[in-house]
């Protein structure tokens, strides 16, 4: 069977959860990466059976998540983590959640994966029009929503089996004006799409890994509700 790592699952409403379910239904083993501040509530809800109804697969069995890794995809290694995050109450309880450390942990635990899914984005100023977006807000959107994918693929490639596949999720706002999708998120998705072409070229030649992005239609996920979509 195939093994998949799905980054960006913290409840049962988003694309990450739905993709994990489809992969599980097709027989894949599921590992997930959950944003550190959301980890506690996700694990607790899972343990308490809150997601049991939506864990149901077409054959009636429940999706099993073999392991949940804490992840913050805006940090590549411990040297990148600033003091205020290190000492933050919501981060202090977890360890090894930078991208490099998560890839190392997955390698140690399982050796290899076949499928890498990037289903995460964040734009702290998403509700501001581009004309009112600060430099920091813009760069944060790119860091969390675009470079996070470059970094994930870079660190997971060495443990991906040749013939494997990687996908991310993009948004039509990269090519058309969608008022409300601000804070540089349009730019972040445009970068993600351009990077997908370049990464497909590089990862395809070097490691025989396919790289694609899917421009998803609207879904009332937690992220979408937060920006009033
Ligand atoms: P979601 O809230 O279910 O997923 C986003 C996830 O990203 C959350 O679990 C959040 O905890 C995680 N996250 C945020 N910052 C992170 C970080 N620094 N490190 C690790 N994880 C982090 O919402 P969703 O809408 O399912 O989003 C998944 C993907 O789909 C995103 O790339 C989003 O842009 C894309 N998308 C969504 C829609 C839509 O209508 N919902 C449409 C097109 C594309």
């Amino acid at each position: 069977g195939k093994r998949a790592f799905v980054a960006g699952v913290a409840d049962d409403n988003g694309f990450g959860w739905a993709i994990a379910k489809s992969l599980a239904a097709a027989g894949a083993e599921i590992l997930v990466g959950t944003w550190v501040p959301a980890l506690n509530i996700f694990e607790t809800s899972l343990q308490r059976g809150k997601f049991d109804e939506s864990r149901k697969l077409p054959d009636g069995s429940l999706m099993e998540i073999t392991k949940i890794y804490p992840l913050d995809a805006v940090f590549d290694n411990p040297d990148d983590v600033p003091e205020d995050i290190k000492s933050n109450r919501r981060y202090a309880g977890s360890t090894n959640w930078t991208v490099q450390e998560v890839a190392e942990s997955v390698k140690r635990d399982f050796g290899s994966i076949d499928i890498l899914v990037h289903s995460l984005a964040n734009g702290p100023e998403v509700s501001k029009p581009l004309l009112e977006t600060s430099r920091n807000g813009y760069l944060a959107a790119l860091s969390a929503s675009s470079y996070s994918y470059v970094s994930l693929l870079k660190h997971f490639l060495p443990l991906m089996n040749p013939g494997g596949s990687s996908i991310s999720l993009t948004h039509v706002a990269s090519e058309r004006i969608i008022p409300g999708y601000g804070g540089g998120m349009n730019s972040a998705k445009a970068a993600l799409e351009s990077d997908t072409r370049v990464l497909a070229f590089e990862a395809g030649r070097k490691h025989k890994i396919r790289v694609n992005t899917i421009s998803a239609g609207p879904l009332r996920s937690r992220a979408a509700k937060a920006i009033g979509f």
Side-chain angles (χ1 to χ4, degrees):
K2 308 273 188 209
R3 184 178 298 116
F5 182 86
V6 185
V9 180
D11 58 40
D12 61 348
N13 292 320
F15 282 118
W17 177 271
I19 292 168
K21 261 180 85 172
S22 299
L23 291 170
E29 177 175 28
I30 305 300
L31 316 176
V32 307
T34 300
W35 197 28
V36 188
L39 181 72
N40 234 331
I41 177 128
F42 179 57
E43 283 186 325
T44 308
S45 304
L46 200 59
Q47 277 155 19
R48 293 196 180 150
K50 209 187 138 202
F51 301 138
D52 283 358
E53 198 50 47
S54 46
R55 279 173 64 206
K56 250 196 206 123
L57 299 176
D59 72 357
S61 69
L62 298 187
M63 169 171 70
E64 292 295 340
I65 298 174
T66 305
K67 190 157 177 179
I68 301 169
Y69 293 87
L71 167 71
D72 194 321
V74 305
F75 303 112
D76 300 319
N77 57 62
D79 292 340
D80 291 345
V81 184
E83 265 325 307
D84 61 319
I85 299 278
K86 263 184 205 150
S87 57
N88 183 307
R89 184 177 52 80
R90 290 154 92 196
Y91 283 78
S94 300
T95 51
N96 299 325
W97 41 257
T98 66
V99 176
Q100 186 188 320
E101 292 170 294
V102 174
E104 283 166 2
S105 302
V106 171
K107 186 177 169 69
R108 191 193 55 231
D109 294 343
F110 297 98
S112 67
I113 63 165
D114 302 286
I115 299 162
L116 176 67
V117 180
H118 175 281
S119 180
L120 63 96
N122 201 10
E125 297 182 15
V126 65
S127 54
K128 287 189 189 164
L130 190 54
L131 270 176
E132 283 157 37
T133 297
S134 72
R135 184 180 299 269
N136 277 343
Y138 183 95
L139 294 177
L142 270 284
S143 176
S145 313
S146 317
Y147 190 77
S148 60
Y149 184 58
V150 177
S151 179
L152 264 183
L153 188 61
K154 166 182 170 166
H155 288 97
F156 275 85
L157 256 188
L159 48 142
M160 288 186 75
N161 295 318
S165 172
S166 172
I167 60 159
S168 67
L169 291 156
T170 187
H171 192 286
V172 66
S174 66
E175 45 185 317
R176 283 187 225 157
I177 302 146
I178 310 287
Y181 203 79
M185 280 304 297
N186 66 301
S187 332
K189 291 305 192 186
L192 181 67
E193 290 173 23
S194 184
D195 293 345
T196 299
R197 296 183 197 102
V198 176
L199 294 169
F201 173 81
E202 294 181 1
R205 296 203 163 195
K206 250 179 109 174
H207 296 275
K208 298 219 182 319
I209 299 298
R210 285 169 293 133
V211 181
N212 286 284
T213 187
I214 297 172
S215 192
L219 172 72
R220 285 216 93 205
S221 63
R222 185 187 169 91
K225 275 187 226 162
I227 58 173
F229 274 56

